[in-house]
């Protein structure tokens, strides 16, 4: 299950290891379609931390990353190393994220 991130816990939760951050909104159709893919990745890769940022509730984080939803960001020890924008299959998503 993905961890919900806020501006209060973002740095602490993303500074170590491999982290995938799903930027989404409840009104976004492609975000809802991508959600099962994100959940599947979190179940298949227990050594990765998979997190979610609701852009309506955390606009500062969305602005900080300059995202258009849906966007997935791969952080390695707090540094962005890959990004995927839009709806795509799991294999394409992982390739875009350099995973």
């Amino acid at each position: 299950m993905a961890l919900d991130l806020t501006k209060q816990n973002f740095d602490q939760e993303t500074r170590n290891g491999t982290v995938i951050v799903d930027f989404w909104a409840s009104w976004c159709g492609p975000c809802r379609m991508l959600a099962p893919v994100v959940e599947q990745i979190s179940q298949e890769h227990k050594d990765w931390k998979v997190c979610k940022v609701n852009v309506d509730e955390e606009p500062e984080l969305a602005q900080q990353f300059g995202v258009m939803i849906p966007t997935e960001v791969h952080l390695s020890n707090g540094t962005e190393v890959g990004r995927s924008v839009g709806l795509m299959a799991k294999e394409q998503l992982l390739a875009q994220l350099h995973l």
Side-chain angles (χ1 to χ4, degrees):
M1 176 179 251
L3 172 68
D4 290 324
L5 295 180
T6 65
K7 65 181 181 177
Q8 287 79 23
N9 71 354
F10 187 88
D11 289 337
Q12 177 182 339
E13 296 294 340
T14 62
R15 76 175 75 151
N16 295 315
T18 298
V19 181
I20 298 171
V21 182
D22 174 27
F23 288 90
W24 70 285
S26 60
W27 50 264
C28 169
C31 297
R32 289 194 309 270
M33 293 171 67
L34 191 58
V37 174
V38 173
E39 183 61 27
Q40 184 180 19
I41 290 170
S42 75
Q43 294 299 317
E44 292 175 354
H45 300 279
K46 300 288 187 186
D47 54 328
W48 300 349
K49 187 181 286 187
V50 178
C51 306
K52 297 179 94 44
V53 173
N54 183 324
V55 298
D56 290 331
E57 295 174 3
E58 299 295 334
E60 290 176 24
L61 286 175
Q63 205 169 42
Q64 176 183 337
F65 281 86
V67 299
M68 294 179 58
I69 57 173
T71 294
E72 314 306 308
V73 176
H74 170 201
L75 301 171
S76 179
N77 298 320
T79 302
E80 183 175 335
V81 294
R83 180 180 288 233
S84 170
V85 179
L87 180 61
M88 60 188 65
K90 180 177 74 169
E91 295 75 22
Q92 290 175 298
L93 173 65
L94 293 173
Q96 290 287 316
L97 294 175
H98 304 289
L99 291 166

